Amino acid sequence: MKKIKWVLAAVAVLGMMLCTGCRSGENGEIYVYSYGDYFDQEAIADFEDETGIRVIQDTYDTAEEMYPVIEKGTADYDVIITSDYMIEKMIHHKMLLEVDKKNLPALKNIDSRYMKKSESFDPGNRYSVPYMVGVSGIIYNKKMVGDVKIDSWGDLWNPKFKDSIVMPDSVRDDFMIALRLLGYDQNTSNEKEIKAAAELLKKQKPLVYKYANDSARDLLADGSAAIGVVWNGEYIYTKDLNPDVEFVIPKEGTEFFVDSWAIPKTSKNKANAEKFINYMCKAKVTKKNFDYLYYTTPNEAAMKLIEKKYRNEDAIFPTDETLDMCDTLKTLDTKTTDLYSKYWKEVKAK
């Protein structure tokens, strides 16, 4: 969901275009629609070799870009991967098929904790299967922040870090931070609370060096900024480039995401779609994809194959206590979405 290696993603899309006229695999094909570069291409090649099913891939940047494609039937994809709040929306609008769990023996590998978390947007886990999960937190350069203890979203309002703070360029992510700091629900529809969060973000804006998403990790890695907000899967990448960075989950709690596999109602090959999802749930395959992404895997069986130094890293595999402080972003009604948009425009215009 959160990591873009655009060169490889472009190669994957080019490969899809070149293969348009290719012969189908001996056991058919499936069309997969996913966030850009979200799994190891070797895993795809291995699936094709093992099953004889040809995988045709297409990618998108945001869940909002994906949604109308599926809604309007612009293309008939067999498998998609998308985020929790979008799964919830697609279930509500009856856009997904139920997965047949008897065709997913590898589903037993998924940690029950994450299956339970997924029920917040997919009751009964009827329509989706968790793939990768993660939490939002603060990454900071311990040399640049000096003796300041970083453990709260409030540290992003510290005047000491003026012109050295990186915030997400995202309405829901920024409001999540401000709302939690104020002690409010990150999915609130209360206008007074949303307005209060906007005022807090306005006060912070003069301190902010840059609002950034994928580039945030690079700004922290090269020392352009001292402190910023990133997803936990970016931590290993950033620390490999700069050993002085650390990652912390703020004491006020944070946003938790679950990216899941699902089958659109327009799927032309549900059987092969379930074979693909089951394959992606296998321990060795999940381990390969973890080594590619370094995001939290919800696959309990794969954990046994992952290097101990990663298994013991709380930034990558949050503790139960941390998970208890986390909530997913919920799909908001149109009126509430408009409120967030209105106040976000005020924040960015100030």
Side-chain angles (χ1 to χ4, degrees), residues 283-294:
K284 289 184 179 179
V285 178
T286 298
K287 198 268 183 182
K288 183 186 287 289
N289 286 325
F290 169 81
D291 290 342
Y292 192 69
L293 293 170
Y294 293 117

Side-chain angles (χ1 to χ4, degrees), residues 3-281:
K3 198 169 184 179
I4 304 296
K5 298 175 186 172
W6 63 271
V7 175
L8 290 178
V11 170
V13 174
L14 178 60
M16 179 199 72
M17 294 168 63
L18 292 176
C19 286
T20 301
C22 295
R23 181 173 61 86
S24 296
E26 59 181 301
N27 292 320
E29 58 193 18
I30 52 169
Y31 288 77
V32 179
Y33 200 26
S34 75
Y35 289 113
D37 200 36
Y38 208 21
F39 34 81
D40 192 327
Q41 287 300 308
E42 286 187 13
I44 302 301
D46 291 343
F47 172 79
E48 292 180 321
D49 290 342
E50 182 177 310
T51 65
I53 299 169
R54 184 164 69 97
V55 179
I56 303 169
Q57 303 173 65
D58 202 356
T59 63
Y60 61 87
D61 291 330
T62 68
E64 288 70 25
E65 176 187 336
M66 175 277 301
Y67 183 83
V69 174
I70 304 300
E71 180 186 36
K72 296 174 183 177
T74 306
D76 295 330
Y77 292 103
D78 299 300
V79 181
I80 62 169
I81 185 167
T82 194
S83 303
D84 34 49
Y85 69 95
M86 191 56 71
I87 291 283
E88 181 180 34
K89 182 176 181 178
M90 296 177 84
I91 291 173
H92 178 73
H93 289 286
K94 304 185 186 307
M95 293 168 61
L96 301 177
L97 295 174
E98 287 194 42
V99 293
D100 192 339
K101 293 177 182 176
K102 76 173 185 293
N103 294 330
L104 303 175
L107 187 63
K108 68 180 186 296
N109 292 336
I110 306 300
D111 192 321
S112 60
R113 295 177 303 164
Y114 295 107
M115 293 295 284
K116 186 175 181 180
K117 282 281 187 183
S118 295
E119 291 205 58
S120 66
F121 58 88
D122 179 10
N125 303 117
R126 295 168 59 197
Y127 296 94
S128 63
V129 175
Y131 171 61
M132 288 286 174
V133 300
V135 293
S136 178
I138 295 174
I139 193 167
Y140 62 95
N141 185 313
K142 57 189 178 183
K143 287 187 176 179
M144 294 178 71
V145 302
D147 58 1
V148 178
K149 181 181 179 181
I150 307 298
D151 65 357
S152 167
W153 290 122
D155 295 319
L156 296 168
W157 274 256
N158 190 331
K160 179 178 180 180
F161 307 137
K162 179 177 171 59
D163 295 328
S164 196
I165 298 169
V166 179
M167 289 288 285
D169 191 12
S170 165
V171 53
R172 292 297 303 277
D173 292 335
D174 279 44
F175 272 84
M176 177 277 294
I177 293 168
L179 287 166
R180 280 191 171 270
L181 192 54
L182 291 168
Y184 298 142
D185 183 347
Q186 67 184 31
N187 294 297
T188 185
S189 59
N190 184 307
E191 184 170 4
K192 289 183 179 179
E193 295 176 352
I194 297 170
K195 182 178 180 180
E199 292 303 317
L200 191 60
L201 290 169
K202 289 177 186 178
K203 290 179 181 178
Q204 182 208 32
K205 190 174 180 182
L207 305 176
V208 175
Y209 167 63
K210 190 171 185 179
Y211 292 90
N213 295 322
D214 294 323
S215 63
R217 62 183 188 178
D218 298 308
L219 297 173
L220 274 297
D222 68 15
S224 296
I227 185 170
V229 181
V230 300
W231 294 99
N232 63 329
E234 309 293 356
Y235 172 59
I236 295 301
Y237 167 90
T238 311
K239 196 169 183 67
D240 282 346
L241 294 175
N242 188 336
D244 292 326
V245 301
E246 299 294 343
F247 182 87
V248 64
I249 304 296
K251 60 188 178 184
E252 296 86 5
T254 189
E255 173 188 348
F256 171 90
F257 78 80
V258 183
D259 285 350
S260 301
W261 299 107
I263 303 174
K265 215 167 188 177
T266 52
S267 170
K268 302 297 185 185
N269 199 332
K270 185 172 185 282
N272 280 355
E274 289 174 338
K275 288 178 183 177
F276 180 81
I277 293 172
N278 185 68
Y279 180 82
M280 285 298 198
C281 290

